[in-house]
Amino acid sequence: MTTLTDMTEAHTEVLTSYPPSADFAAAANATAALYDEAEADRLAFWAEQAHRLSWDTPFTEVLDWSQAPFAKWFVGGKLNVAYNCVDRHVEAGNGDRVAIHWEGEPVGDSRVLTYAQLKDEVCKAANALTELGLVAGDRVAIYMPMVPEAIVAMLACARLGVMHSVVFAGFSATALRARIEDAEAKLVITTDGQYRRGNAVSLKEAVDEAVKGQDCVQHVLVVRRTGIDVDWTDGRDLWWHEKVDAASTEHTPEAFDAEQPLFLLYTSGTTGKPKGIIHTSGGYLTQASYTHFNVFDIKTDTDIYWCTADIGWVTGHTYIVYGPLSNGATQVVYEGTPASPDEHRHFQVIEKYGVTIYYTAPTLIRTFMKWGREIAFAHDLSSLRLLGSVGEPINPEAWRWYRLVFGADATPIVDTWWQTETGAAMISPLPGVTDCKPGSAMRPLPGISAKIVDDDGNELQPSSDHGEHLTGYLVLDKPWPSMLRGIWGDPERFKETYWARFAEQGWYFAGDGARYGSDGEVWVLGRIDDVMNIAGHRISTAEVESALVGHAGVAEAAVVGASDDTTGQAICAFVILKAHHAEMSNEQMVDELRAEVAREISPIAKPREIHVVPELPKTRSGKIMRRLLRDVAEGRELGDTSTLVDPTVFEAIRAGKS
Ligand code: WT7
């Protein structure tokens, strides 16, 4: 665990603030009045935001919190999420508006989908899913690269009240299998293969492995993307272009209860088993839509919005699928990696489509910094008017570089703090209102309430500019519409993980350390639990440890996240080998272990360093002191070692490390 003291020492505030230009402020969707409205009557404010959506049956109560922490928002209301994201824009006469400018990884491979075309595709897919026997409440696993069919598949599920569980296509067959099993998915939707840095690689192979022997999966629906050969199981496997393309474009959306489960999204917790985070319909869509409209200042007639996330993460769900589409926005969806075919790709895409709003992660901004500003300056980026950041704290240097190089030192930057569990942005500037401080997500959005508190739940005071900076726990002290409704199959874990720490006060414990700045703004400093943040990807130390000890040669393993200039944190592992592994050199063993982690979890979870050590530092109760290992990994003087059984263990560890 990172202690709050570690965080405080590592953090220094930068004072300059950046107000929006007068022009931006004057035209902005959100003004300061939004804070006042929310302040005056929070629930009435949320009711008003919910009315931005189209309801089949109006709700009779905004919030039922009587079964806390299990919330019900917009009680009695009925709506169809897909209708709200697609049909209603067509009915309003905007069927010819582009919904998706899709840019494939191979240069020149692109597609345009208008809202009318998207509606036809979603209806066909919904009809096909119905023919396959799916009914409201069932689960569908979606394991796909960033192709339009992935978005169509999600919306088709939503249209039927079927829950989707999107699994990032970079995850291994083992990780996919665990998620399919936990959710008892009836259908898996995938592609034959995917492009990875110019090469077509198989994806269906991983699905075949993941569904082997799983009784729950009845069908695998396969989109042909790369044309590479696939193994085929007759009766189980179906081609999308045969099944979906043959279906009718007529489909009447059914209205579902506001609390109809919309999706499951698995995320890492402090144990090895990923949590299936449950989101529902009315509240989730209300906050996704409201935040997308106000934080990204969307003007549907003129903006070209681009969020660089993958639909395998919550950012892709909320700010590629449900937020933008519910608002009728026009967006760019890009299939590939930023360096494919070379480092110019993102800038070319911005130039090609005239992207006006660009939303990405700090780790990518730092990668662009490493590549050098000349690359960006070789392109016309003058269409950009608003930039966004998400996934981890953005360091002030990267913030300023982003604004200077992407934003001609003029565009606002919205640094949005939120989580898979919160469903949508919670703490963020409003771009036409907030004087931003680089590195701070600033204030809770209108309608949202957050506090930074000490161990006993006392709220911290704003820091003085020169005095001590007190660090505390970030909590959400009032329910919000897009809050998670639980963990799939494990209500106890839901209560324990998020609601037990401040049970007396009834607050949600976010797992992040934070402090107030001198103007009362929030500085989120990072996780205080055993969750790491690698390039914006959430991976728990326990998951990696369990992959390592799964190898026959490993006796014990301890994993920490150490700071890394590009990825924010990097995974460092310390392993004790079993005596009998001796036929292999330590170097060979380390290579094998890195491969094992990639196989078990994903290449994104491969440790940057694996150190073979004779012992691990433990407390008398047998708990591994990760804090001390982090000191070692980051080359620092050791912190307090007095609780260790054997303080000399570090000499041996340091020897193993060098
Ligand atoms: C964790 C949530 C939000 C979607 C992507 C990640 C960190 C996220 C910020 C930010 C500082 C941030 C937190 C949070 N985080 N955004 N703007 N500033 N930290 O979702 O995988 O659920 O991870 O990401 O530590 O708890 P996630």
Side-chain angles (χ1 to χ4, degrees), residues 53-54 79-89 285 325-326:
L53 305 176
S54 171
L79 81 173
N80 185 288
V81 169
Y83 172 85
N84 271 280
C85 290
V86 186
D87 307 45
R88 67 169 173 149
H89 307 309
L285 195 64
L325 296 177
S326 66

Side-chain angles (χ1 to χ4, degrees), residues 543-555 557 578 593 596 600:
E543 270 174 300
V544 181
E545 284 166 4
S546 108
L548 289 169
V549 297
H551 188 283
V554 175
K578 287 184 185 159
L593 289 177
E596 176 78 8
E600 276 298 306

Side-chain angles (χ1 to χ4, degrees), residues 179-192:
R179 286 156 177 77
I180 290 172
E181 212 163 56
D182 188 72
E184 295 174 274
K186 273 194 187 169
L187 173 72
V188 182
I189 309 181
T190 189
T191 60
D192 53 354

Side-chain angles (χ1 to χ4, degrees), residues 132 204 295 360 375 380 390 546:
L132 291 176
K204 175 152 187 305
V295 172
T360 195
I375 293 179
D380 178 7
V390 64
S546 108

Side-chain angles (χ1 to χ4, degrees), residues 517-558:
S518 52
D519 296 307
E521 79 282 6
V522 174
W523 292 78
V524 177
L525 304 172
R527 307 285 310 189
I528 46 90
D529 51 15
D530 292 330
V531 173
M532 301 177 288
N533 190 329
I534 315 299
H537 302 316
R538 194 165 143 178
I539 298 164
S540 76
T541 54
E543 270 174 300
V544 181
E545 284 166 4
S546 108
L548 289 169
V549 297
H551 188 283
V554 175
E556 266 193 275

Side-chain angles (χ1 to χ4, degrees), residues 412-456:
I413 297 179
V414 286
D415 173 5
T416 59
W417 178 88
W418 57 295
Q419 308 177 304
T420 305
E421 291 87 343
T422 70
M426 302 292 284
I427 304 178
S428 164
L430 287 176
V433 178
T434 312
D435 288 7
C436 293
K437 296 189 188 181
S440 166
M442 303 304 292
R443 246 166 279 275
L445 286 165
I448 300 300
S449 189
K451 278 188 167 63
I452 304 170
V453 301
D454 67 15
D455 273 310
D456 303 321

